[in-house]
Amino acid sequence: MLSNSSFYRRWCFLLLLAGLSSLTACNSSRTTTTANDINPYQPQPYVQLSHPEWSKNAAIYQINIRQFTPEGTFVAAAEQLNRLKDLGVKILWLMPVQPIGELNRKGTLGSPYSVKDYYGVNSEFGTEDELKAFIAEAHQLGLYVILDWVANHTAWDNVLVKQHPDWYLRDWKGDFRPTPWWDWDDIIELDYSNSDLRRYMTGAMKYWIQEFGFDGFRCDVAGFVPLDFWEQARKELDSIKPVFMLAEFEGRDFHASAFDMTYGWSWHKAVHDIANGHADVNKLRVYYSWNEKYFPQNIMRMLGVSNHDQNAWEGTEFEMFGDALHAAMALSVVGEGMPMIYNGQEAGNDRRLAFFERDPIIWREHENGKLYKKLLALKRDNTALWNADWGARMLPVHNNKPAQILSFVRQNTKDKVFAVFNFSDTPQHVSFDEHLHHGNYINYLTGETVQFTADSTVKLAAWDYRIYVQPQAF
């Protein structure tokens, strides 16, 4: 039995241990909470997806199989792959390859965007094995192939109409319906409130990646399909291999978790309006301002002067841009964005190709093809011009003719490009403010050595432009 004094000392010792234990636990709790606490003010990247590394300096080329060769087949198209690699493109976008609906078909052959069977191959173009051979040969050459995917609607006689009629939207009478407000009466709309449809459509996309080797998709009227569908599909596709996704739509939200690239329709509209005297260069400044401040930085926007819709329904690039065409082509390559070429542009195709009939491109050597090849080589090799975060932002170089002249620098620790465009129908004598552009350059298209100082000026003919390069800038 302990004495009173011994008991007291023992009791004090136990209290001290309990107090130290409690203090240690309290401090440990505070430390853990602090370590795990997330700073709510820490900025988070808007873009959550990862672009495939091979897209960093890519240009994209659209192939309309029906019109691309006299034969209109995969086999004939494969014979052009070496030429396309030499042109300097890296991503090949094939328009839809599935069988085309016959019910309510437009024209003789119908629209490739009226899909009859998501798992089939259009015999007009060839066989499954011939398509696989085309993709395999493209891969061997270091090219990548994406498939045009039509998720918003199907042909009237798609196999799903009988198998799953509940997967379709209906009009006020209860009938299948085309997309409202558009002349798309050869198709009917799907209903993405149905989870079984979403599962089916995602599975069909995975099929073309796994069985054929496609490297991603260009998604037709992507904004007419719920964004959360595309976000889920992207996750499942990326689990197979890194894919590249292009949305036929324009908007910031597509870039967060679903698409690598969207259309630059407003860029095309701005340059077209300037070329036709309906606007001046300030309209392009509005585009680039929104591109920098509204859109996240680590994205790609597709810029081009033609595509299958514009060529068929609005006019050739010659009709649309006239004397401004070469300047527009050059800006699509050296400005922020991924340049896009529609098949036949490199041959100077000056016809509106028939969309529902056979109308093969007439191939020839043309100055536009030579210009694209020269420009795309610069895009490939000059790191300042690369895509998304791999490249550099456009920095405005202010000049004394702001309504007529667009001038900017793109630079990083390796490369620097100074570009000047006269987007007007009169000659211009241009001087520049500040010193961002100062230094020694080479005129990329002529090889001439040029030095820019505070007193330097540039004389440009109507619709003329200059691209100055300064390798090893720092």
Side-chain angles (χ1 to χ4, degrees):
M1 184 173 182
L2 295 174
S3 66
N4 288 340
S5 60
S6 297
F7 177 81
Y8 179 76
R9 287 194 301 271
R10 182 73 173 269
W11 180 73
C12 288
F13 179 71
L14 292 174
L15 283 178
L16 177 61
L17 287 179
L20 289 173
S21 176
S22 176
L23 180 61
T24 301
C26 182
N27 286 340
S28 175
S29 176
R30 288 177 181 174
T31 302
T32 302
T33 301
T34 302
N36 293 331
D37 188 30
I38 298 175
N39 180 1
Y41 302 104
Q42 179 65 33
Q44 301 297 315
Y46 185 83
V47 178
Q48 298 297 312
L49 55 81
S50 296
H51 306 300
E53 192 275 340
W54 45 262
S55 66
K56 65 184 180 184
N57 58 352
I60 188 168
Y61 186 95
Q62 181 185 6
I63 297 179
N64 182 341
I65 290 289
R66 180 181 287 166
Q67 317 298 20
F68 187 54
T69 63
E71 299 84 357
T73 64
F74 301 129
V75 171
E79 295 174 359
Q80 300 296 318
L81 289 174
N82 277 296
R83 180 182 66 79
L84 295 179
K85 180 180 180 180
D86 187 58
L87 179 62
V89 298
K90 182 173 281 189
I91 301 174
L92 307 180
W93 150 21
L94 294 190
M95 286 171 58
V97 300
Q98 292 97 339
I100 295 170
E102 299 175 48
L103 182 61
N104 298 324
R105 169 180 283 189
K106 288 179 178 286
T108 304
L109 298 177
S111 168
Y113 296 90
S114 179
V115 173
K116 188 175 182 179
D117 179 3
Y118 283 104
Y119 284 86
V121 171
N122 188 348
S123 60
E124 175 192 348
F125 304 147
T127 66
E128 289 188 4
D129 287 341
E130 288 166 345
L131 175 56
K132 290 177 181 178
F134 173 92
I135 297 170
E137 187 169 346
H139 287 167
Q140 189 172 14
L141 292 172
L143 304 174
Y144 297 83
V145 188
I146 65 173
L147 175 61
D148 213 325
W149 194 256
V150 188
N152 177 67
H153 50 261
T154 77
W156 285 83
D157 48 356
N158 187 287
V159 295
L160 298 179
V161 174
K162 290 185 178 180
Q163 294 175 357
H164 300 285
D166 56 314
W167 290 3
Y168 287 85
L169 291 171
R170 307 296 180 119
D171 64 14
W172 63 274
K173 302 185 299 295
D175 298 330
F176 297 122
R177 69 173 205 192
T179 303
W181 312 104
W182 294 88
D183 179 23
W184 295 352
D185 53 10
D186 59 334
I187 58 90
I188 49 178
E189 284 212 314
L190 291 163
D191 181 3
Y192 276 82
S193 67
N194 190 304
S195 62
D196 290 333
L197 167 63
R198 291 178 176 230
R199 184 177 295 107
Y200 170 90
M201 192 64 69
T202 305
M205 296 175 77
K206 291 164 70 174
Y207 167 80
W208 291 92
I209 298 289
Q210 293 170 319
E211 299 298 321
F212 288 81
F214 278 101
D215 301 293
F217 297 94
R218 177 267 187 189
C219 299
D220 188 60
V221 290
F224 287 9
V225 176
L227 182 56
D228 62 343
F229 165 78
W230 297 121
E231 291 171 340
Q232 177 62 30
R234 176 62 184 259
K235 291 178 185 177
E236 298 192 34
L237 296 172
D238 269 341
S239 70
I240 301 170
K241 69 176 182 180
V243 295
F244 186 87
M245 299 288 284
L246 164 62
E248 190 206 11
F249 231 73
E250 189 167 21
R252 175 176 61 188
D253 293 347
F254 296 92
H255 292 280
S257 302
F259 292 97
D260 301 276
M261 186 160 71
T262 56
Y263 272 48
W265 279 323
S266 51
W267 179 90
H268 185 280
K269 171 67 172 171
V271 181
H272 178 255
D273 284 352
I274 293 168
N276 287 276
H278 303 313
D280 62 24
V281 168
N282 286 307
K283 189 158 188 176
L284 265 174
R285 290 196 179 88
V286 170
Y287 169 84
Y288 286 117
S289 175
W290 277 76
N291 186 62
E292 179 171 337
K293 298 299 294 183
Y294 176 71
F295 284 82
Q297 180 172 344
N298 188 25
I299 67 163
M300 305 176 212
R301 303 188 70 189
M302 189 173 72
L303 308 181
V305 296
S306 187
N307 60 42
H308 66 282
D309 284 320
Q310 289 163 338
N311 172 270
W313 315 119
E314 299 175 38
T316 69
E317 61 266 33
F318 299 99
E319 293 176 84
M320 299 193 74
F321 293 96
D323 293 336
L325 177 58
H326 284 181
M329 290 164 54
L331 183 58
S332 75
V333 177
V334 300
E336 286 183 48
M338 182 184 291
M340 177 263 183
I341 300 173
Y342 180 50
N343 56 196
Q345 282 189 252
E346 70 270 40
N349 172 55
D350 57 1
R351 293 183 298 114
R352 300 189 185 193
L353 300 174
F355 200 72
F356 308 120
E357 314 293 340
R358 290 277 292 116
D359 189 13
I361 297 164
I362 299 173
W363 291 102
R364 57 180 177 168
E365 294 288 330
H366 194 273
E367 62 176 342
N368 288 5
K370 295 176 182 177
L371 177 58
Y372 266 129
K373 183 176 179 179
K374 181 81 171 177
L375 292 170
L376 294 184
L378 178 63
K379 169 80 174 183
R380 179 190 65 231
D381 298 333
N382 191 295
T383 60
L385 302 184
W386 287 5
N387 301 316
D389 275 352
W390 288 294
R393 299 239 73 149
M394 294 170 62
L395 304 176
V397 175
H398 300 292
N399 61 69
N400 66 327
K401 300 291 182 66
Q404 295 81 30
I405 303 296
L406 179 72
S407 49
F408 59 88
V409 160
R410 297 183 71 183
Q411 64 179 350
N412 57 25
T413 56
K414 182 180 179 182
D415 294 304
K416 184 174 183 178
V417 174
F418 174 39
V420 187
F421 290 82
N422 178 13
F423 279 113
S424 76
D425 59 2
T426 56
Q428 302 293 336
H429 189 188
V430 192
S431 60
F432 306 94
D433 298 334
E434 300 181 354
H435 61 275
L436 177 63
H437 64 294
H438 290 184
N440 296 316
Y441 296 85
I442 296 172
N443 183 323
Y444 179 70
L445 295 179
T446 67
E448 176 189 7
T449 300
V450 182
Q451 182 184 43
F452 282 98
T453 65
D455 299 325
S456 299
T457 61
V458 174
K459 291 183 179 180
L460 294 170
W463 309 114
D464 199 3
Y465 62 96
R466 300 282 189 276
I467 300 170
Y468 302 103
V469 296
Q470 187 184 81
Q472 305 299 323
F474 298 96

